[in-house]
Amino acid sequence: MGRRFAATGILVLSLAVAACGDGDGEAAGDSAADGRGYRVGLLLPESKTTRYDTFDRPYIEARLGEACADCEVLYRNADSDAAKQATQAQELLDEDVKVLILDAVDAAAAVSVVENAKARDVPVVAYDRLAKGPVDYYVSFDNQKIGQVQAQSLLDALAANGTTASGPIVMVNGAPTDPNAADFKSGAHAVLDGHVTVGDEFDSRDWSAEQARAGMEAAIGTLGAEKIVGVYAANDGTAGGVIEALKSAGVTTLPPVTGQDAEIAAVQRILSGEQYSTIYKAIKPQATVAADMAVAAATGVRYAGQATTFVDNGTQKVTSVLLPPVVVTWRNVKDTVIADGFYTAPQLCTGIYATACQEAGVF
């Protein structure tokens, strides 16, 4: 699964990566200046969420192609299996990758991957999810903030409907093995607690839409479909499962349901009124930072692109870039995912969604 990039020119990395100086202040050198290629291992966690193969992988590969024209990307997807990801990581280390970009299935279990890499002097860039162990760099979004803006969008919808205090909401959280899910949950509770009644709350294993649907069906059985005034769903896949459960229960006027990832199906649901909101995380900037961090780590220079902070992963404080999330509702589809080129109007506005797109001013 390797991809070697055509020699289309080398981007001068001083735009994104600053060389470390030695004791006399001399630069360590441009990381791609000698034109030598190397292998970059890319480990992504699952394929249930459409973003990884549709956006993350192509964007990372494209940026690496600009930054290191002779580099080769070796790609693996773990299909939500932490043991499989550990095996894949070992395979990549055996194939002499010089750096790993790791989006961990299970952040705690991934410590073995990180430690094995370090034992071979292979640096690790934690992508999207912060793995345990001696990680070199981390890039993601402000996950506490994501939970907060998700929850605030739900509160805004409840206020607009006049239902904030008239019934319970259901909270459908993400995979317990994903540390981001815990941050989303914590951020959401910080906003929701004291303002709404949480009638039921559960985690969705592996971010599974099927798990979310089953959990929602159970919540409907306990609370009554007609009494649920809103649903905090941690991502778009779980939101889809929630909406299926509500529709199967005979609900015709759906309560507001949140989401995350701006999947095309979710944006279409937002346009048609089935889903209230999603979170747009501009994946291209995240992928760009990850690629630049990987090049810096592989070539022994200091990443100096976006402003960095430190995030503690339980092992050490990791140099990190945390990007801001954007909430998307019916009102700003055109100004977010369309304006950024994440989707085109023809992609979104097919068939039954054409009228909704016109009403939302998408085209």
Side-chain angles (χ1 to χ4, degrees), residues 15 35 70 84 108 127 160 164-165 201 217 262 279 281 308-309 313 361:
L15 296 174
D70 293 325
K84 180 178 180 179
Y127 181 73
T164 304
E201 180 174 5
E217 288 171 347
I279 297 297
K281 299 182 293 186
T308 60
T309 186
N313 71 345

Side-chain angles (χ1 to χ4, degrees), residues 38 41 63 74 130 161 178 180 206 219 299 312 342 360:
Y38 44 85
R63 180 61 172 181
L74 304 183
L130 183 54
N161 291 344
D178 181 349
N180 292 357
D206 297 332
T299 55
D312 194 333
F342 196 63

Side-chain angles (χ1 to χ4, degrees), residues 17 43 163 261 276:
V17 181
L43 293 162
T163 57
D261 291 328
Y276 179 73

Side-chain angles (χ1 to χ4, degrees), residues 167-229:
I169 69 164
V170 176
M171 292 190 69
V172 184
N173 301 307
T177 55
D178 181 349
N180 292 357
D183 286 338
F184 304 148
K185 183 193 302 187
S186 174
H189 271 292
V191 172
L192 295 173
D193 291 352
H195 296 281
V196 295
T197 299
V198 179
D200 197 4
E201 180 174 5
F202 60 91
D203 296 339
S204 178
R205 188 176 68 249
D206 297 332
W207 292 99
S208 167
E210 293 77 14
Q211 289 280 323
R213 177 171 180 165
M216 192 65 197
E217 288 171 347
I220 289 169
T222 301
L223 302 171
E226 73 285 353
K227 293 184 179 179
I228 297 169
V229 298

Side-chain angles (χ1 to χ4, degrees), residues 7-27:
T8 56
I10 297 175
L11 178 68
V12 179
L13 287 185
S14 59
L15 296 174
V17 181
C20 287
D22 61 17
D24 297 320
E26 295 178 0

